[in-house]
């Protein structure tokens, strides 16, 4: 058994199967058979899992009897689900009427789309095998509301947690969801978040994340219903290992999905985005725009796949990734992938990696800004455009404020 | 106000300005003309301190200070402004935000308070009106998608808002139609006073008709080869720069 296997799947920590026995056994079997990704495993080349091998990855995940600290400030008053060290903080979680929070049932766990023939989805399997809590948030049809999911950690957090969440939007519900994830300590948070948008529902999804220590592995899968509209806006401030898989399934007519993100990376931060937009039925539309700004010795990865499957005729997609290398020692790897198997389709993609424009820098300085201000402003100008289209003004202002703080 | 003495400037190891002397007094407007490639833009860049424009010899005194010792932004705060021949697009940076940030940075460097944001907006709107520019430009990214003429006028808006003591205009009139040219000239004339000086680089008599320069200089191959009053511009307009070779020969 590999070192990572012993660390992440120790026999002693098996949780109560909680009725999830079937799924858990399947997950364990896949893990035992294929283990964790290696350096050569497709889609895991740049994720430094060796970091996890070096970590102790044990210790209590929750201080007994201690009240978790208050979650960070949010852009607006909202219903709140607070997870501290990966566990629900029931005192601070509070949802408006029409929104329910219940423990997941076995049928809420989907794994038919996970690869069981290799290690590519090992962390998703690991989540199934080892999650301690799994929560389902339901929004009733037609409801309009704002929600927040906040994840915080103790400074001394050194455990491994596998939070599992599901959000279900009822028909024609309109939701703004803001997520704040602030990693600390030396542990690993291996989260899975499933989101389902029923017919004509709309979700605007902001994710603001940074980690001062904890490794953050996140797999978010969104199923967009007929005439439904999903928009994600991600802002990453870095951390030693942040891996974001974002999968948008457009499986119904007139489904729309757009995903945008900005990563502002300093020091030795690593953020690895793996996104997939699956046009399964046409007509459907998607748009994607990710920007990585890597300074110091940071590493940014963007692997964006747009897949237009047979039957998704009359689908339209645009993808763009723009990247700024701000130091000689920073690295950015981008790979847009476009696969089209349908007709009457338009799809475009563009990718650039550049540096700060010296002439623009001079221009700003010649108007009185010092060099640092000029650089910040240029970085801001490069990144902020991603949030221009954010339809929810309060969320946009907040994301832009968080962005400014990180420049 | 400005005393340039035996200035030599090299770009990429090649000497472009080759011993240039120029004095501009308070409140004066000097025009610099000269053929393409003679070093006019290089002179402007060297005065504001752009990287890569190395002063290899000579001195520049601005209000009694050694201008060449100052960083780019310090020169801006001291009151030197260059309207670029090709204004730069800054994607994603809002024009109004940029203007205010620039003004506040200069004020801070001079030990002054930040501008009141309402007063600021008022004054910017007024300038836009004078230059017949749409207010929506404030919300757009700096120079991005602006027409050539809008870019040039935007430089004059910046000039009016930042109120420098010495403004260098590098071919701000090139590419402008006659109406836009008039607007730019009016914009400049409004800003003229006994405490503010201008160096106007241009190819055209037209602009100078409106501005009525105190002195006109002809720059050729990195040196000022001829200086005179307004009649010099008229002669250049008639005869082109060919007579320079004749005088030199
Ligand atoms: N960045 C540069 N690198 C190399 N040569 C330059 C650069 N900028 C200007 N030059 C050269 O310097 C000379 C003067 O250019 P410039 O000052 O732009 O002239 P003008 O503005 O009078 O047309 C030209 O020969 C030009 O080719
Ligand atoms: Mg020029």
């Amino acid at each position: 058994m590999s070192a990572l296997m012993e660390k992440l799947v120790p026999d002693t920590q098996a949780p109560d199967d909680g009725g999830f026995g079937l799924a858990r056994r399947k997950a364990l079997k896949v893990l035992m058979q294929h283990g964790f990704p290696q350096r050569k495993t497709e889609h895991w080349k740049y994720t430094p899992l060796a970091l996890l091998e070096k970590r102790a990855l044990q210790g209590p995940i929750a201080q007994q009897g201690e009240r978790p600290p208050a979650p960070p400030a949010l852009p607006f008053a909202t219903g709140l689900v607070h997870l501290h060290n990966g566990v629900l903080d029931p005192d601070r979680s509070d949802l408006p009427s029409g929104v329910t929070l219940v423990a997941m049932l076995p049928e809420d766990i989907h794994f038919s789309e996970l690869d069981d023939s290799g290690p590519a989805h090992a962390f998703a399997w690991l989540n199934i095998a080892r999650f301690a809590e799994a929560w389902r948030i339901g929004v009733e049809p037609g409801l309009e509301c704002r929600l927040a999911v906040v994840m915080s950690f103790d400074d001394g957090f050194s455990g491994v947690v596998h939070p599992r969440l599901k959000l279900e939007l009822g028909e024609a519900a309109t939701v703004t969801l803001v997520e704040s994830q602030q990693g600390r300590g030396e542990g690993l948070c291996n989260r899975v978040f499933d989101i389902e948008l029923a017919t004509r529902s709309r979700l605007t999804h902001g994710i603001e994340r940074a980690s001062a220590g904890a490794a953050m592995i996140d797999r978010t899968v969104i199923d967009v219903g007929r005439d439904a509209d999903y928009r994600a806006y991600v802002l990453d401030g870095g951390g030693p290992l942040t891996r974001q898989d974002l999968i948008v399934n457009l499986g119904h007519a007139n489904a729309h999905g757009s995903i945008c993100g900005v990563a502002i990376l300093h020091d030795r931060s690593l953020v690895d985005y793996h996104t997939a937009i699956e046009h399964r039925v046409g007509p459907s539309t998607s748009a994607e725009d990710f920007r990585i700004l890597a300074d110091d010795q940071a590493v940014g990865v963007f692997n964006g796949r747009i897949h237009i499957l047979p039957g998704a005729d009359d689908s339209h997609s645009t993808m763009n990734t723009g990247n700024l290398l701000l130091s000689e020692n920073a690295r950015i790897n981008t790979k847009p992938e476009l696969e089209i198997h349908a007709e009457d389709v338009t799809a475009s993609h563009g990718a650039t990696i550049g540096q700060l424009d010296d002439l623009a820098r001079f221009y700003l300085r010649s108007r009185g800004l010092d060099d640092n201000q000029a650089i910040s402003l240029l970085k801001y100008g490069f990144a902020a455009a991603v949030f221009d289209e954010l339809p929810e003004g309060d969320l946009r202002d907040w994301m832009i404020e968080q962005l400014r703080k990180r420049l | 106000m400005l005393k340039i003495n035996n200035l030599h400037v090299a770009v990429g190891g090649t000497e472009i300005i080759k011993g240039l002397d120029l004095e501009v007094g308070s409140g004066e407007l000097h025009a610099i003309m000269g053929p393409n490639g003679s070093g006019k833009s290089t002179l402007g860049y060297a005065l504001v301190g752009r990287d890569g424009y190395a002063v290899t010899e000579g001195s520049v005194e601005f209000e009694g200070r050694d201008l060449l010792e100052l960083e780019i932004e310090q020169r801006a705060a001291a009151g030197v402004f260059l309207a670029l021949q090709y204004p730069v697009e800054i994607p994603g940076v809002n024009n109004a935000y940029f203007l205010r940030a620039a003004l506040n940075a200069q004020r801070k460097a001079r030990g002054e308070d930040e501008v009141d944001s309402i007063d600021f907006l008022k004054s910017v709107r007024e300038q836009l009106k004078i230059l017949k520019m749409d207010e929506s430009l404030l919300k757009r990214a700096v120079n991005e998608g602006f027409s050539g003429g809008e870019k040039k006028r935007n430089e004059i808006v910046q000039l009016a808002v930042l109120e420098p003591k010495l403004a260098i205009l590098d071919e701000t009139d090139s590419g402008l139609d006659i109406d836009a040219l008039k607007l730019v000239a009016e914009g400049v004339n409004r800003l003229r006073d006994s405490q503010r000086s201008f160096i106007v680089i241009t190819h055209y008599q037209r602009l100078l008709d409106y501005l009525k320069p105190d002195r006109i200089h002809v720059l050729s191959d990195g040196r000022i080869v001829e200086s005179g009053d307004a009649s010099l511009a008229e002669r250049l307009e008639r005869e082109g720069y060919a007579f320079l070779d004749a005088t030199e020969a």
Side-chain angles (χ1 to χ4, degrees):
Chain A
M1 217 161 60
S2 74
L4 213 48
M5 206 64 187
E6 278 166 39
K7 281 233 155 90
L8 297 176
V9 201
D11 294 337
T12 50
Q13 278 188 7
D16 180 4
D17 90 6
F20 298 100
L22 192 71
R24 297 223 203 249
R25 279 194 296 279
K26 163 84 180 170
L28 268 181
K29 196 174 142 208
V30 177
L31 282 172
M32 291 302 165
Q33 214 172 345
H34 302 293
F36 285 90
Q38 312 282 317
R39 279 204 78 85
K40 58 182 192 312
T41 306
E42 180 75 3
H43 296 305
W44 287 89
K45 277 201 289 232
Y46 300 110
T47 318
L49 297 176
L51 176 97
L52 300 178
E53 287 173 23
K54 286 188 215 129
R55 290 193 164 179
L57 295 183
Q58 54 195 351
I61 58 166
Q63 255 75 37
Q64 283 301 319
E66 213 169 287
R67 197 166 183 228
L74 293 166
F76 33 67
T78 125
L80 174 65
V81 174
H82 181 212
L83 303 182
H84 188 65
N85 293 338
V87 179
L88 185 74
D89 168 12
D91 290 350
R92 289 220 180 72
S93 296
D94 179 27
L95 292 168
S97 74
V99 182
T100 53
L101 177 69
V102 296
M104 268 189 221
L105 298 170
E107 61 263 32
D108 291 319
I109 312 279
H110 300 284
F111 50 81
S112 60
E113 296 198 355
L114 293 181
D115 179 10
D116 59 6
S117 67
H121 289 148
F123 285 92
W125 289 116
L126 175 65
N127 178 283
I128 293 176
R130 286 291 186 261
F131 68 78
E133 298 180 351
W135 298 103
R136 186 165 66 86
I137 307 164
V139 177
E140 74 179 23
L143 190 71
E144 218 172 285
C145 69
R146 292 167 156 186
L147 300 174
V149 172
V150 173
M151 300 215 303
S152 59
F153 297 86
D154 285 327
D155 284 330
F157 167 75
S158 62
V160 182
V161 290
H162 309 279
R164 189 167 187 103
L165 293 169
K166 183 171 203 170
L167 171 65
E168 289 178 5
L169 264 59
E171 204 169 307
T174 301
V175 176
T176 299
L177 168 68
V178 51
E179 288 203 71
S180 168
Q181 304 181 7
Q182 308 304 325
R184 286 185 217 293
E186 285 280 300
L188 164 65
C189 177
N190 173 40
R191 189 181 80 155
V192 171
F193 192 4
D194 289 314
I195 298 177
E196 290 179 10
L197 276 74
T199 300
R200 285 187 293 116
S201 63
R202 305 173 67 85
L203 177 61
T204 303
H205 185 186
I207 302 171
E208 195 267 328
R209 168 177 46 212
S211 177
M216 313 282 272
I217 295 182
D218 190 288
R219 178 182 169 85
T220 297
V221 181
I222 304 100
D223 287 309
V224 188
R226 184 165 55 81
D227 297 314
D229 185 304
Y230 174 75
R231 286 159 205 256
Y233 300 88
V234 183
L235 174 62
D236 267 294
L241 189 172
T242 299
R243 163 84 185 210
Q244 173 76 68
D245 286 58
L246 196 55
I247 297 116
V248 180
N249 293 319
L250 304 173
H252 300 270
N254 297 314
H256 173 80
S258 52
I259 52 179
C260 302
V262 173
I264 309 289
L265 308 180
H266 296 278
D267 305 319
R268 291 176 173 276
S269 280
L270 176 136
V271 171
D272 182 345
Y273 293 114
H274 270 69
T275 70
I277 296 179
E278 302 276 322
H279 287 262
R280 294 178 175 175
V281 170
S284 53
T285 53
S286 68
E288 179 162 11
D289 190 357
F290 273 77
R291 315 241 166 140
I292 298 172
L293 290 79
D295 205 344
D296 304 320
Q297 299 170 68
V299 179
V301 180
F302 173 78
N303 184 294
R305 191 165 88 120
I306 291 184
H307 197 177
I308 304 184
L309 286 111
D313 294 350
D314 197 17
S315 288
H316 304 279
S317 173
T318 60
M319 168 162 47
N320 179 44
T321 167
N323 303 278
L324 267 189
L325 269 177
L326 299 164
S327 114
E328 280 178 12
N329 297 315
R331 279 192 297 136
I332 295 175
N333 296 291
T334 69
K335 191 175 172 199
E337 295 178 62
L338 202 54
E339 254 185 78
I340 301 176
H341 303 284
E343 300 191 354
D344 297 322
V345 158
T346 60
S348 66
H349 67 85
T352 58
I353 299 184
Q355 288 165 354
L356 278 184
D357 178 357
D358 282 340
L359 182 60
R361 204 161 144 189
F362 157 72
Y363 188 59
L364 296 179
R365 290 181 71 190
S366 79
R367 298 303 182 246
L369 302 176
D370 68 32
D371 202 26
N372 285 332
Q373 290 173 309
I375 290 172
S376 296
L377 199 55
L378 290 175
K379 285 158 67 178
Y380 172 83
F382 183 80
V386 165
F387 301 124
D388 277 354
E389 306 285 299
L390 212 163
E392 161 84 56
D394 290 343
L395 182 59
R396 181 178 58 233
D397 293 349
W398 185 76
M399 295 292 279
I400 282 181
E401 189 189 322
Q402 304 307 308
L403 170 66
R404 278 193 200 282
K405 281 188 196 162
R406 304 210 173 278
L407 293 172
Chain B
M1 162 111 14
L2 181 75
K3 271 189 204 156
I4 303 176
N5 198 348
N6 187 33
L7 185 72
H8 292 251
V9 180
V11 183
T14 309
E15 183 162 79
I16 306 290
I17 302 290
K18 303 171 177 172
L20 181 142
D21 299 290
L22 179 66
E23 259 190 61
V24 180
S26 272
E28 291 179 357
L29 188 148
H30 290 223
I32 294 184
M33 306 182 80
N36 280 329
S38 57
K40 302 181 297 295
S41 294
T42 302
L43 174 64
Y45 285 141
L47 291 177
V48 296
R50 183 171 173 195
D51 288 342
Y53 290 75
V55 173
T56 50
E57 215 184 314
S59 64
V60 179
E61 205 181 278
F62 178 66
E63 295 203 300
R65 296 166 78 180
D66 179 0
L67 190 67
L68 301 178
E69 285 222 307
L70 304 181
E71 295 289 339
I72 302 173
E73 60 273 20
Q74 292 172 326
R75 297 185 199 195
V80 182
F81 177 94
L82 172 67
L84 266 61
Q85 183 174 358
Y86 304 107
V88 183
E89 297 188 5
I90 317 272
V93 175
N94 173 286
N95 220 4
Y97 182 89
F98 159 64
L99 264 178
R100 194 150 72 99
L103 181 57
N104 279 332
Q106 289 197 17
R107 294 179 67 103
K108 194 174 165 205
R110 293 193 293 256
E112 300 164 8
D113 287 339
E114 291 205 342
V115 284
D116 177 84
S117 47
I118 296 177
D119 293 347
F120 168 78
L121 262 180
K122 248 194 215 156
S123 92
V124 177
R125 289 210 177 108
E126 200 181 302
Q127 297 306 333
L128 286 171
K129 214 183 244 162
I130 291 170
L131 287 152
K132 293 217 164 70
M133 289 176 78
D134 201 280
E135 254 186 48
S136 65
L137 289 187
L138 284 177
K139 291 197 184 119
R140 283 165 52 188
V142 180
N143 294 326
E144 199 184 37
F146 286 28
S147 70
E150 281 173 338
K151 284 182 183 171
K152 299 292 183 106
R153 279 182 283 163
N154 198 30
E155 294 289 279
I156 303 300
V157 172
Q158 292 176 20
L159 166 64
V161 169
L162 297 173
E163 301 185 303
K165 292 177 182 153
L166 170 66
I168 305 157
L169 272 52
D170 190 356
E171 295 201 26
T172 304
D173 55 338
S174 293
L176 293 185
D177 61 33
I178 190 73
D179 294 329
L181 182 96
K182 265 191 206 161
L183 289 170
V184 164
E186 276 166 27
V188 169
N189 279 333
R190 258 168 204 276
L191 292 165
R192 287 179 75 175
D193 69 34
S194 60
Q195 300 305 309
R196 183 171 293 126
S197 310
F198 288 85
I199 295 175
V200 177
I201 297 169
T202 180
H203 283 298
Y204 304 107
Q205 169 70 26
R206 275 194 317 188
L207 179 67
L208 301 182
D209 287 343
Y210 292 109
L211 295 183
K212 312 223 178 320
D214 298 294
R215 295 287 287 168
I216 293 177
H217 311 276
V218 178
L219 190 65
S220 175
D221 194 23
R223 287 187 199 87
I224 288 179
V225 293
E226 191 79 44
S227 296
D229 58 16
S231 64
L232 180 56
E234 285 158 25
R235 183 167 171 210
L236 287 170
E237 186 92 344
R238 268 197 325 270
E239 301 176 24
Y241 295 109
F243 81 91
L244 297 174
D245 301 330
T247 39
E248 264 169 34

